[in-house]
Amino acid sequence: MAVVPEIKQLQHLGWRAGFGESPLVIQAWSKKRRKEVVRKVIMGPEAGPDPVKVVDETDLPDYQRIRKMGAEERKMVQKMNTDGIKDLNVLWTHAMISSEHPLREKMALFWHGHFACRTQNVLYNQQLLQVIRQHGLGNFGTLLTEVSKSPAMLAFLNNQQNRKQRPNENFAREVMELFTMGRGHYTEKDIKEAARAFTGWSYDEVGQFRFRKNFHDEGSKTILGKTGNFQGDDVIKILLEQKQTAKYITEKIYKYFVNDQPDEAIVAKLADKFYQSDYDLRALMQEIFLSDWFYDDRNIGTRIKSPVELLVGLRKTVPMQFEQEEAMLVFQRVMGQVLFYPPNVAGWPGGRSWIDSSSLMFRMRVPQIILYSQEFNIRPKEITPEMGEGQNYKMTMQVNEFLKKQYARRVNASIDWNPYIAAYKEVPREQLADRISQSLLLKNSSINKELLEKYSDSSTRENYIKTVTIDVMSTPEYQLC
Amino acid sequence: MLIHRRRFLQVGSLASASLMLPKFLKAMEKGELVPPGNKVLVVVQLSGGNDGLNTVIPYRNDIYYKMRPTLGIKREAALSLNDELGIHPALKSFKALYDDGSLGVLNSVGYPNPDRSHFRSMDIWQSASESKDYWNTGWLGRYLDAQCKGCDKPTQALEIDDTLSLALKGDAVKGLALTDPQRLFGASNDRYFKELLAKKKHDEEHQNVDYLYKTMAETISSAAYIQQQFKTYKSKEAYPNTELGRNMKTIAELIMTDINTSVYYVSHGSFDTHVGQQGQQQRLFEQLSDALQTFTADLKKNHRFDDVLVMTFSEFGRRVGQNASGGTDHGTANNMFLIGGGLKQQGVLNEGPDLQHLNEGDLQYKVDFKNVYATLLKKWLGADDQAILKKQYEYLNFI
């Protein structure tokens, strides 16, 4: 196997543990020992994440009154929710772009797909986002518990309807199938019994978890071979005792951060350690990023970026401000990943499913649309209102109207090329094309200099850098990291 | 120089046409553009959950009028199909197709444990999974996987849209989405992309790099192929100037060519009529009726109607009772239309909806939609339905 140059290894780390790093950062990293770099990437700054916040609990309408509200007032509440979720999307994207701890946001994005959830309530979304940002690199048990007790998830998986007299199994099923063990490692009976244990798990109007004793089934349950008077917390404990949970989570993390074709021996070893560490996610990530196999050629530049990674990576490389930040949502929609709107409880399938003829052609045009301010001549599919028995019908129509209006519009962004160009200050003219493609692409054997030269604008050094950059970003290889 | 180049191109295309000479000549003799037997399926998705009860109206049923005091469609307004059922007044061309023996109506179609979420239910219809399963491929995508191994162009299934639906995504092969063949050709005919492709080295790259380049190559060659075919026929019919009208025209023009496409997919909506259903459904049905009228007339004139089958579906029907806003909320079972000159059974194919045995105010399904898919895959497209649907479903008899 070919030896991977150190610079390439560090670029690889920058993409997998975040959204790509600039040549200047990579240069700085290259002066340190790997252990030190990884430590910094893993630990980040001392302070926890600033919450991505668009609403305050005290600003919220009295949800108990919602049934008595008039049409106008209801409309306002819906608008607040819809706009709020849009703002959350924009603000979180900004956090990914400018975070001092990119791995934390990358982990949160991973968990956002793992704990896939849709709710029309902006506060619930905001709370769940904070949970995955805060605990995404902490202890998996804590993360799982916090997510499972979030109103967003309890509502999405119908645990409000899970009561002693009439158990609803949806929540218990997904906690086992999607959050912990994966299919085939438990029986239908286990789900039924677990559902009984989760009865009474509920929440109130301000988004606080509540255990409602009157709804809870106090009887004895048998789950995965254990018998007792279990409650929800006991189920989570039992699930964490199963080695299969560590295996399932490790494999998913490996597929996301290393390679979508898992190496079984490595995954098994990682899972063992993960289990021994009592589910310490930080230790698991450190193990991965310190391993030599992580830097194998076969793991580099092979992962198809998700639409959000593509957009964030682009904006991290060349700083910019959209005239209308909602444009981000249109890009996300066309490419198939709108934050807070996973396709279903299983999340985005990822990998090659991101790519078909139209999505690939669009993805290759994204840099031109943004950086040359070209027309946006793709119309995303209409969206439909969800989760509100149609209360959001009119809002949805407005969103669709907005999308239609975007059609054939130019995407206006003010682009700050200066820091990007400055990073190439020392590079001689004849080496520019090569250096640009090396720093933007992990795999770049096909992108030859003559081609870039031919399509570039060489009237000034600046224009040359810009046009070569845009052309390098418009390649199939730029879809990969 | 330019003229010479053109001459060369003409000779070039004639040369390739001559490879298919027998079929080509036979079709020419009969004054037809494409030889018969070239079966085509057109899927029309009514997005948003169309209200089936006001589409095929049980106008002899008191329960229907009782539960829909203002929204129910009066017997005299409905276009009558038989003693029990009539069709929405705006669907005039459907009534004409019915009289003509080219329409099949399948009632009470659905699936076990229905999901009332648009997303989820649409997923289920598009992937053809059970409602407890989550599949990442669509039923037509898996049709492509089965039929199109080693094909150089994924043009067997086309979606007339800017983005591709799950229905057309297979594991190995995915359909192609386009709104306008000319525009697709323009976008893919980018010199830079073409040169990238030409200069691609083929040594020791990871398979995802190859996958991306393969997809790009297929898109470029498909776009050229579609555009080349598309040029060969222009419809003489005046299609309505609506989005669906334009899309149906594109489909008809492609059907009339010798293109290898066997499945077309198009969406029309939104039928999510929680509020003020009457006007919205009326408007959408008029567009649907007008577009299908021109489309079927076009096919008939060109002797293609027997080989084309149109199927309509929606992710769910709506609740039986109307709501307080003059609309209806998300429900369950629904009806499907089958349109074509090649139907073996026509008219109303099964009993109308059973309003006496509702499940908490919702209709109960009698026919699983996967039986319809199995029938279309096996009997119409000649594909291995069991492999595609991952289960053997019983066939229906409409074809």
mmCIF file of all heavy atoms in Angstrom, chain A residues 118 183 302 344-345 352 377 379 381 385-386 393 407 445 448 454-455 471 477, chain B residues 118-119 123 133-134 159 162-163 165 183 192 195 199 205 208 211 213 216 272:
data_model
loop_
_atom_site.group_PDB
_atom_site.id
_atom_site.type_symbol
_atom_site.label_atom_id
_atom_site.label_comp_id
_atom_site.label_asym_id
_atom_site.label_seq_id
_atom_site.Cartn_x
_atom_site.Cartn_y
_atom_site.Cartn_z
ATOM 1 N N ARG A 118 -38.496 14.164 14.223
ATOM 2 C CA ARG A 118 -39.159 15.321 13.626
ATOM 3 C C ARG A 118 -40.198 15.840 14.595
ATOM 4 O O ARG A 118 -41.028 15.074 15.076
ATOM 5 C CB ARG A 118 -39.982 14.901 12.410
ATOM 6 C CG ARG A 118 -39.241 14.789 11.122
ATOM 7 C CD ARG A 118 -40.182 14.110 10.152
ATOM 8 N NE ARG A 118 -39.538 13.912 8.879
ATOM 9 C CZ ARG A 118 -39.711 14.723 7.847
ATOM 10 N NH1 ARG A 118 -40.528 15.761 7.936
ATOM 11 N NH2 ARG A 118 -39.095 14.497 6.732
ATOM 12 N N ARG A 183 -31.626 -4.433 14.799
ATOM 13 C CA ARG A 183 -32.596 -5.501 14.579
ATOM 14 C C ARG A 183 -32.047 -6.894 14.797
ATOM 15 O O ARG A 183 -30.889 -7.154 14.516
ATOM 16 C CB ARG A 183 -33.070 -5.408 13.146
ATOM 17 C CG ARG A 183 -34.474 -4.895 13.127
ATOM 18 C CD ARG A 183 -34.999 -4.996 11.765
ATOM 19 N NE ARG A 183 -36.366 -5.431 11.875
ATOM 20 C CZ ARG A 183 -37.273 -5.120 10.989
ATOM 21 N NH1 ARG A 183 -36.950 -4.422 9.952
ATOM 22 N NH2 ARG A 183 -38.496 -5.530 11.150
ATOM 23 N N THR A 302 -12.599 8.656 0.688
ATOM 24 C CA THR A 302 -13.492 7.637 0.141
ATOM 25 C C THR A 302 -14.937 7.837 0.575
ATOM 26 O O THR A 302 -15.822 7.138 0.120
ATOM 27 C CB THR A 302 -13.081 6.249 0.648
ATOM 28 O OG1 THR A 302 -13.092 6.289 2.071
ATOM 29 C CG2 THR A 302 -11.710 5.880 0.155
ATOM 30 N N ASN A 344 -37.148 9.708 7.895
ATOM 31 C CA ASN A 344 -37.965 8.850 8.766
ATOM 32 C C ASN A 344 -37.147 8.534 10.012
ATOM 33 O O ASN A 344 -36.050 9.062 10.174
ATOM 34 C CB ASN A 344 -38.393 7.571 8.023
ATOM 35 C CG ASN A 344 -37.207 6.826 7.442
ATOM 36 O OD1 ASN A 344 -36.233 6.555 8.133
ATOM 37 N ND2 ASN A 344 -37.271 6.522 6.165
ATOM 38 N N VAL A 345 -37.672 7.655 10.864
ATOM 39 C CA VAL A 345 -36.998 7.397 12.137
ATOM 40 C C VAL A 345 -35.610 6.774 11.957
ATOM 41 O O VAL A 345 -34.797 6.800 12.877
ATOM 42 C CB VAL A 345 -37.809 6.479 13.086
ATOM 43 C CG1 VAL A 345 -39.079 7.158 13.524
ATOM 44 C CG2 VAL A 345 -38.101 5.145 12.439
ATOM 45 N N ARG A 352 -23.813 6.138 -0.782
ATOM 46 C CA ARG A 352 -24.139 6.344 -2.187
ATOM 47 C C ARG A 352 -25.556 6.812 -2.416
ATOM 48 O O ARG A 352 -25.912 7.239 -3.514
ATOM 49 C CB ARG A 352 -23.908 5.051 -2.958
ATOM 50 C CG ARG A 352 -22.448 4.722 -3.042
ATOM 51 C CD ARG A 352 -22.227 3.549 -3.952
ATOM 52 N NE ARG A 352 -20.802 3.231 -3.974
ATOM 53 C CZ ARG A 352 -20.281 2.303 -4.743
ATOM 54 N NH1 ARG A 352 -21.060 1.607 -5.538
ATOM 55 N NH2 ARG A 352 -19.000 2.085 -4.712
ATOM 56 N N ASN A 377 -31.467 27.141 -10.900
ATOM 57 C CA ASN A 377 -32.620 26.728 -11.720
ATOM 58 C C ASN A 377 -33.058 25.287 -11.460
ATOM 59 O O ASN A 377 -33.332 24.521 -12.360
ATOM 60 C CB ASN A 377 -32.347 26.977 -13.197
ATOM 61 C CG ASN A 377 -31.086 26.263 -13.643
ATOM 62 O OD1 ASN A 377 -30.457 25.594 -12.836
ATOM 63 N ND2 ASN A 377 -30.734 26.391 -14.895
ATOM 64 N N ARG A 379 -35.876 23.226 -9.050
ATOM 65 C CA ARG A 379 -36.983 23.395 -8.128
ATOM 66 C C ARG A 379 -37.109 22.156 -7.258
ATOM 67 O O ARG A 379 -37.345 21.065 -7.766
ATOM 68 C CB ARG A 379 -38.269 23.611 -8.913
ATOM 69 C CG ARG A 379 -39.365 24.188 -8.051
ATOM 70 C CD ARG A 379 -40.642 24.295 -8.812
ATOM 71 N NE ARG A 379 -40.597 25.341 -9.821
ATOM 72 C CZ ARG A 379 -41.584 25.553 -10.676
ATOM 73 N NH1 ARG A 379 -42.649 24.776 -10.665
ATOM 74 N NH2 ARG A 379 -41.514 26.524 -11.539
ATOM 75 N N LYS A 381 -38.714 19.438 -4.643
ATOM 76 C CA LYS A 381 -40.087 18.913 -4.534
ATOM 77 C C LYS A 381 -40.843 19.676 -3.458
ATOM 78 O O LYS A 381 -40.267 20.157 -2.499
ATOM 79 C CB LYS A 381 -40.033 17.435 -4.173
ATOM 80 C CG LYS A 381 -39.625 16.576 -5.332
ATOM 81 C CD LYS A 381 -39.928 15.114 -5.075
ATOM 82 C CE LYS A 381 -39.906 14.294 -6.347
ATOM 83 N NZ LYS A 381 -38.681 14.397 -7.126
ATOM 84 N N PRO A 385 -47.034 19.423 5.052
ATOM 85 C CA PRO A 385 -47.011 19.635 6.494
ATOM 86 C C PRO A 385 -47.100 18.307 7.225
ATOM 87 O O PRO A 385 -47.676 17.367 6.736
ATOM 88 C CB PRO A 385 -48.265 20.454 6.751
ATOM 89 C CG PRO A 385 -49.162 20.143 5.627
ATOM 90 C CD PRO A 385 -48.310 19.794 4.454
ATOM 91 N N GLU A 386 -46.453 18.260 8.386
ATOM 92 C CA GLU A 386 -46.483 17.010 9.144
ATOM 93 C C GLU A 386 -46.836 17.314 10.579
ATOM 94 O O GLU A 386 -46.676 18.430 11.040
ATOM 95 C CB GLU A 386 -45.107 16.343 9.128
ATOM 96 C CG GLU A 386 -44.761 15.759 7.803
ATOM 97 C CD GLU A 386 -45.580 14.532 7.441
ATOM 98 O OE1 GLU A 386 -46.572 14.218 8.105
ATOM 99 O OE2 GLU A 386 -45.235 13.902 6.471
ATOM 100 N N TYR A 393 -50.857 23.598 7.531
ATOM 101 C CA TYR A 393 -51.139 23.546 6.109
ATOM 102 C C TYR A 393 -50.788 24.837 5.379
ATOM 103 O O TYR A 393 -50.072 24.849 4.388
ATOM 104 C CB TYR A 393 -52.623 23.211 5.944
ATOM 105 C CG TYR A 393 -53.134 23.310 4.553
ATOM 106 C CD1 TYR A 393 -52.767 22.351 3.612
ATOM 107 C CD2 TYR A 393 -53.985 24.331 4.176
ATOM 108 C CE1 TYR A 393 -53.256 22.429 2.328
ATOM 109 C CE2 TYR A 393 -54.468 24.408 2.897
ATOM 110 C CZ TYR A 393 -54.099 23.462 1.971
ATOM 111 O OH TYR A 393 -54.573 23.555 0.710
ATOM 112 N N TYR A 407 -36.731 29.882 -7.641
ATOM 113 C CA TYR A 407 -36.392 29.315 -8.932
ATOM 114 C C TYR A 407 -35.885 30.404 -9.889
ATOM 115 O O TYR A 407 -36.477 31.463 -10.006
ATOM 116 C CB TYR A 407 -37.617 28.618 -9.522
ATOM 117 C CG TYR A 407 -37.340 27.975 -10.843
ATOM 118 C CD1 TYR A 407 -36.662 26.769 -10.904
ATOM 119 C CD2 TYR A 407 -37.749 28.573 -12.016
ATOM 120 C CE1 TYR A 407 -36.396 26.172 -12.109
ATOM 121 C CE2 TYR A 407 -37.489 27.990 -13.233
ATOM 122 C CZ TYR A 407 -36.807 26.779 -13.273
ATOM 123 O OH TYR A 407 -36.543 26.209 -14.478
ATOM 124 N N SER A 445 -5.937 12.362 -8.274
ATOM 125 C CA SER A 445 -5.026 11.963 -9.334
ATOM 126 C C SER A 445 -5.556 12.335 -10.723
ATOM 127 O O SER A 445 -4.803 12.455 -11.666
ATOM 128 C CB SER A 445 -4.743 10.470 -9.258
ATOM 129 O OG SER A 445 -5.912 9.752 -9.539
ATOM 130 N N ASN A 448 -5.883 17.200 -13.538
ATOM 131 C CA ASN A 448 -4.537 17.606 -13.922
ATOM 132 C C ASN A 448 -4.435 19.114 -14.123
ATOM 133 O O ASN A 448 -5.407 19.821 -14.345
ATOM 134 C CB ASN A 448 -4.021 16.795 -15.103
ATOM 135 C CG ASN A 448 -4.775 17.115 -16.358
ATOM 136 O OD1 ASN A 448 -5.438 18.126 -16.444
ATOM 137 N ND2 ASN A 448 -4.667 16.242 -17.327
ATOM 138 N N LYS A 454 -6.450 25.501 -18.358
ATOM 139 C CA LYS A 454 -7.271 25.793 -19.531
ATOM 140 C C LYS A 454 -8.557 26.530 -19.154
ATOM 141 O O LYS A 454 -9.019 27.396 -19.882
ATOM 142 C CB LYS A 454 -7.602 24.466 -20.214
ATOM 143 C CG LYS A 454 -8.392 24.603 -21.505
ATOM 144 C CD LYS A 454 -8.461 23.260 -22.201
ATOM 145 C CE LYS A 454 -9.568 23.258 -23.233
ATOM 146 N NZ LYS A 454 -9.791 21.918 -23.761
ATOM 147 N N TYR A 455 -9.150 26.160 -18.029
ATOM 148 C CA TYR A 455 -10.432 26.757 -17.662
ATOM 149 C C TYR A 455 -10.296 27.902 -16.669
ATOM 150 O O TYR A 455 -11.285 28.382 -16.144
ATOM 151 C CB TYR A 455 -11.369 25.675 -17.119
ATOM 152 C CG TYR A 455 -11.903 24.783 -18.206
ATOM 153 C CD1 TYR A 455 -11.221 23.630 -18.587
ATOM 154 C CD2 TYR A 455 -13.071 25.129 -18.889
ATOM 155 C CE1 TYR A 455 -11.687 22.831 -19.604
ATOM 156 C CE2 TYR A 455 -13.550 24.323 -19.922
ATOM 157 C CZ TYR A 455 -12.849 23.175 -20.277
ATOM 158 O OH TYR A 455 -13.317 22.400 -21.287
ATOM 159 N N ASP A 471 -13.208 25.556 -9.930
ATOM 160 C CA ASP A 471 -13.178 24.374 -10.791
ATOM 161 C C ASP A 471 -12.809 23.109 -10.016
ATOM 162 O O ASP A 471 -13.355 22.044 -10.282
ATOM 163 C CB ASP A 471 -12.204 24.593 -11.958
ATOM 164 C CG ASP A 471 -12.857 25.425 -13.054
ATOM 165 O OD1 ASP A 471 -14.099 25.524 -13.054
ATOM 166 O OD2 ASP A 471 -12.127 25.982 -13.898
ATOM 167 N N GLU A 477 -14.450 14.446 -7.259
ATOM 168 C CA GLU A 477 -13.592 14.200 -6.098
ATOM 169 C C GLU A 477 -13.937 15.100 -4.921
ATOM 170 O O GLU A 477 -13.760 14.707 -3.771
ATOM 171 C CB GLU A 477 -12.112 14.398 -6.470
ATOM 172 C CG GLU A 477 -11.500 13.248 -7.246
ATOM 173 C CD GLU A 477 -11.774 13.341 -8.740
ATOM 174 O OE1 GLU A 477 -12.613 14.178 -9.147
ATOM 175 O OE2 GLU A 477 -11.161 12.574 -9.506
ATOM 176 N N HIS B 118 -47.387 12.049 5.909
ATOM 177 C CA HIS B 118 -47.123 12.129 4.463
ATOM 178 C C HIS B 118 -45.806 11.449 4.122
ATOM 179 O O HIS B 118 -45.709 10.651 3.199
ATOM 180 C CB HIS B 118 -47.012 13.588 4.003
ATOM 181 C CG HIS B 118 -48.270 14.346 4.051
ATOM 182 N ND1 HIS B 118 -49.289 14.165 3.138
ATOM 183 C CD2 HIS B 118 -48.692 15.328 4.881
ATOM 184 C CE1 HIS B 118 -50.280 15.000 3.408
ATOM 185 N NE2 HIS B 118 -49.945 15.722 4.470
ATOM 186 N N PHE B 119 -44.764 11.818 4.887
ATOM 187 C CA PHE B 119 -43.423 11.328 4.596
ATOM 188 C C PHE B 119 -43.364 9.812 4.660
ATOM 189 O O PHE B 119 -42.896 9.152 3.755
ATOM 190 C CB PHE B 119 -42.416 11.882 5.609
ATOM 191 C CG PHE B 119 -42.137 13.328 5.435
ATOM 192 C CD1 PHE B 119 -42.751 14.266 6.241
ATOM 193 C CD2 PHE B 119 -41.257 13.765 4.468
ATOM 194 C CE1 PHE B 119 -42.496 15.607 6.083
ATOM 195 C CE2 PHE B 119 -40.998 15.114 4.305
ATOM 196 C CZ PHE B 119 -41.614 16.041 5.122
ATOM 197 N N ASP B 123 -43.062 7.120 1.754
ATOM 198 C CA ASP B 123 -41.940 6.174 1.797
ATOM 199 C C ASP B 123 -42.418 4.748 1.545
ATOM 200 O O ASP B 123 -41.801 3.988 0.807
ATOM 201 C CB ASP B 123 -41.377 6.134 3.231
ATOM 202 C CG ASP B 123 -40.117 6.948 3.384
ATOM 203 O OD1 ASP B 123 -39.810 7.715 2.459
ATOM 204 O OD2 ASP B 123 -39.467 6.819 4.428
ATOM 205 N N ASP B 133 -41.080 -1.589 8.225
ATOM 206 C CA ASP B 133 -39.715 -1.631 7.679
ATOM 207 C C ASP B 133 -39.289 -0.297 7.062
ATOM 208 O O ASP B 133 -40.126 0.478 6.603
ATOM 209 C CB ASP B 133 -39.603 -2.716 6.607
ATOM 210 C CG ASP B 133 -39.768 -4.107 7.196
ATOM 211 O OD1 ASP B 133 -39.471 -4.263 8.391
ATOM 212 O OD2 ASP B 133 -40.226 -5.009 6.472
ATOM 213 N N TYR B 134 -37.975 -0.086 7.065
ATOM 214 C CA TYR B 134 -37.424 1.115 6.432
ATOM 215 C C TYR B 134 -36.471 0.700 5.334
ATOM 216 O O TYR B 134 -35.398 0.191 5.604
ATOM 217 C CB TYR B 134 -36.710 1.973 7.478
ATOM 218 C CG TYR B 134 -37.658 2.471 8.529
ATOM 219 C CD1 TYR B 134 -37.895 1.742 9.685
ATOM 220 C CD2 TYR B 134 -38.380 3.644 8.321
ATOM 221 C CE1 TYR B 134 -38.810 2.172 10.623
ATOM 222 C CE2 TYR B 134 -39.291 4.087 9.244
ATOM 223 C CZ TYR B 134 -39.506 3.344 10.405
ATOM 224 O OH TYR B 134 -40.417 3.784 11.315
ATOM 225 N N GLU B 159 -37.924 10.205 -14.289
ATOM 226 C CA GLU B 159 -38.869 11.002 -13.515
ATOM 227 C C GLU B 159 -38.886 12.400 -14.113
ATOM 228 O O GLU B 159 -37.832 13.000 -14.341
ATOM 229 C CB GLU B 159 -38.442 11.079 -12.044
ATOM 230 C CG GLU B 159 -39.367 11.971 -11.226
ATOM 231 C CD GLU B 159 -39.263 11.752 -9.723
ATOM 232 O OE1 GLU B 159 -38.364 11.020 -9.285
ATOM 233 O OE2 GLU B 159 -40.101 12.333 -8.995
ATOM 234 N N ASP B 162 -37.240 17.877 -11.177
ATOM 235 C CA ASP B 162 -35.849 18.303 -11.012
ATOM 236 C C ASP B 162 -35.060 17.412 -10.073
ATOM 237 O O ASP B 162 -33.838 17.381 -10.112
ATOM 238 C CB ASP B 162 -35.790 19.753 -10.493
ATOM 239 C CG ASP B 162 -35.966 20.758 -11.621
ATOM 240 O OD1 ASP B 162 -35.867 20.352 -12.793
ATOM 241 O OD2 ASP B 162 -36.207 21.938 -11.338
ATOM 242 N N THR B 163 -35.754 16.750 -9.163
ATOM 243 C CA THR B 163 -35.052 15.858 -8.235
ATOM 244 C C THR B 163 -35.685 14.463 -8.277
ATOM 245 O O THR B 163 -36.843 14.310 -8.639
ATOM 246 C CB THR B 163 -35.099 16.391 -6.790
ATOM 247 O OG1 THR B 163 -36.480 16.570 -6.422
ATOM 248 C CG2 THR B 163 -34.375 17.712 -6.647
ATOM 249 N N SER B 165 -37.132 10.879 -6.978
ATOM 250 C CA SER B 165 -37.870 10.309 -5.849
ATOM 251 C C SER B 165 -37.267 8.974 -5.426
ATOM 252 O O SER B 165 -36.648 8.280 -6.231
ATOM 253 C CB SER B 165 -39.336 10.066 -6.239
ATOM 254 O OG SER B 165 -39.984 11.259 -6.491
ATOM 255 N N ARG B 183 -32.829 21.103 -21.422
ATOM 256 C CA ARG B 183 -32.095 21.723 -20.316
ATOM 257 C C ARG B 183 -31.114 20.742 -19.686
ATOM 258 O O ARG B 183 -29.998 21.105 -19.331
ATOM 259 C CB ARG B 183 -33.083 22.228 -19.268
ATOM 260 C CG ARG B 183 -32.591 23.489 -18.585
ATOM 261 C CD ARG B 183 -33.595 24.012 -17.596
ATOM 262 N NE ARG B 183 -33.507 23.299 -16.341
ATOM 263 C CZ ARG B 183 -34.512 23.154 -15.495
ATOM 264 N NH1 ARG B 183 -35.695 23.664 -15.788
ATOM 265 N NH2 ARG B 183 -34.354 22.496 -14.381
ATOM 266 N N TYR B 192 -16.192 21.468 -19.429
ATOM 267 C CA TYR B 192 -15.287 21.153 -18.327
ATOM 268 C C TYR B 192 -15.576 19.748 -17.765
ATOM 269 O O TYR B 192 -14.667 18.936 -17.561
ATOM 270 C CB TYR B 192 -15.414 22.221 -17.242
ATOM 271 C CG TYR B 192 -14.611 21.965 -15.997
ATOM 272 C CD1 TYR B 192 -13.222 21.908 -16.037
ATOM 273 C CD2 TYR B 192 -15.241 21.774 -14.770
ATOM 274 C CE1 TYR B 192 -12.482 21.676 -14.890
ATOM 275 C CE2 TYR B 192 -14.513 21.540 -13.620
ATOM 276 C CZ TYR B 192 -13.131 21.493 -13.677
ATOM 277 O OH TYR B 192 -12.402 21.255 -12.549
ATOM 278 N N GLU B 195 -14.400 17.110 -20.113
ATOM 279 C CA GLU B 195 -12.948 16.917 -20.133
ATOM 280 C C GLU B 195 -12.461 16.207 -18.875
ATOM 281 O O GLU B 195 -11.541 15.391 -18.925
ATOM 282 C CB GLU B 195 -12.225 18.256 -20.316
ATOM 283 C CG GLU B 195 -11.991 18.558 -21.778
ATOM 284 C CD GLU B 195 -11.023 19.695 -21.989
ATOM 285 O OE1 GLU B 195 -9.822 19.524 -21.687
ATOM 286 O OE2 GLU B 195 -11.471 20.769 -22.438
ATOM 287 N N LYS B 199 -10.348 12.748 -18.980
ATOM 288 C CA LYS B 199 -8.998 12.658 -18.412
ATOM 289 C C LYS B 199 -8.919 11.747 -17.192
ATOM 290 O O LYS B 199 -7.854 11.566 -16.614
ATOM 291 C CB LYS B 199 -8.509 14.065 -18.027
ATOM 292 C CG LYS B 199 -8.324 14.964 -19.233
ATOM 293 C CD LYS B 199 -7.057 15.799 -19.109
ATOM 294 C CE LYS B 199 -6.568 16.258 -20.456
ATOM 295 N NZ LYS B 199 -7.465 17.238 -21.093
ATOM 296 N N GLU B 205 -8.255 3.511 -7.974
ATOM 297 C CA GLU B 205 -9.057 4.481 -7.242
ATOM 298 C C GLU B 205 -10.034 3.711 -6.365
ATOM 299 O O GLU B 205 -10.411 2.579 -6.651
ATOM 300 C CB GLU B 205 -9.845 5.355 -8.220
ATOM 301 C CG GLU B 205 -8.999 6.336 -8.992
ATOM 302 C CD GLU B 205 -8.656 7.585 -8.201
ATOM 303 O OE1 GLU B 205 -8.597 7.503 -6.956
ATOM 304 O OE2 GLU B 205 -8.442 8.623 -8.836
ATOM 305 N N ASN B 208 -15.762 4.394 -4.578
ATOM 306 C CA ASN B 208 -16.675 5.538 -4.561
ATOM 307 C C ASN B 208 -16.281 6.601 -5.592
ATOM 308 O O ASN B 208 -17.136 7.281 -6.134
ATOM 309 C CB ASN B 208 -16.750 6.169 -3.165
ATOM 310 C CG ASN B 208 -17.772 5.468 -2.288
ATOM 311 O OD1 ASN B 208 -18.623 4.723 -2.796
ATOM 312 N ND2 ASN B 208 -17.713 5.695 -0.989
ATOM 313 N N TYR B 211 -17.654 5.236 -8.674
ATOM 314 C CA TYR B 211 -19.120 5.372 -8.669
ATOM 315 C C TYR B 211 -19.536 6.776 -9.112
ATOM 316 O O TYR B 211 -20.455 6.938 -9.914
ATOM 317 C CB TYR B 211 -19.664 5.067 -7.264
ATOM 318 C CG TYR B 211 -21.146 5.312 -7.113
ATOM 319 C CD1 TYR B 211 -22.072 4.457 -7.712
ATOM 320 C CD2 TYR B 211 -21.625 6.401 -6.389
ATOM 321 C CE1 TYR B 211 -23.434 4.684 -7.581
ATOM 322 C CE2 TYR B 211 -22.985 6.629 -6.254
ATOM 323 C CZ TYR B 211 -23.880 5.772 -6.847
ATOM 324 O OH TYR B 211 -25.221 6.008 -6.726
ATOM 325 N N TYR B 213 -17.759 8.940 -10.921
ATOM 326 C CA TYR B 213 -17.447 9.137 -12.344
ATOM 327 C C TYR B 213 -18.400 8.359 -13.245
ATOM 328 O O TYR B 213 -18.796 8.836 -14.308
ATOM 329 C CB TYR B 213 -15.985 8.781 -12.632
ATOM 330 C CG TYR B 213 -15.081 9.977 -12.439
ATOM 331 C CD1 TYR B 213 -14.424 10.193 -11.234
ATOM 332 C CD2 TYR B 213 -14.925 10.925 -13.445
ATOM 333 C CE1 TYR B 213 -13.623 11.308 -11.041
ATOM 334 C CE2 TYR B 213 -14.132 12.050 -13.260
ATOM 335 C CZ TYR B 213 -13.484 12.237 -12.050
ATOM 336 O OH TYR B 213 -12.703 13.351 -11.863
ATOM 337 N N MET B 216 -21.563 10.250 -13.378
ATOM 338 C CA MET B 216 -21.405 11.429 -14.230
ATOM 339 C C MET B 216 -21.409 11.019 -15.707
ATOM 340 O O MET B 216 -22.077 11.640 -16.533
ATOM 341 C CB MET B 216 -20.102 12.149 -13.877
ATOM 342 C CG MET B 216 -19.869 13.402 -14.678
ATOM 343 S SD MET B 216 -18.647 14.485 -13.910
ATOM 344 C CE MET B 216 -17.192 14.053 -14.780
ATOM 345 N N ASP B 272 -53.179 18.045 -0.270
ATOM 346 C CA ASP B 272 -53.315 18.044 1.181
ATOM 347 C C ASP B 272 -54.394 19.050 1.587
ATOM 348 O O ASP B 272 -54.107 20.185 1.931
ATOM 349 C CB ASP B 272 -51.978 18.378 1.826
ATOM 350 C CG ASP B 272 -51.954 17.992 3.283
ATOM 351 O OD1 ASP B 272 -52.716 17.082 3.661
ATOM 352 O OD2 ASP B 272 -51.199 18.597 4.048
#
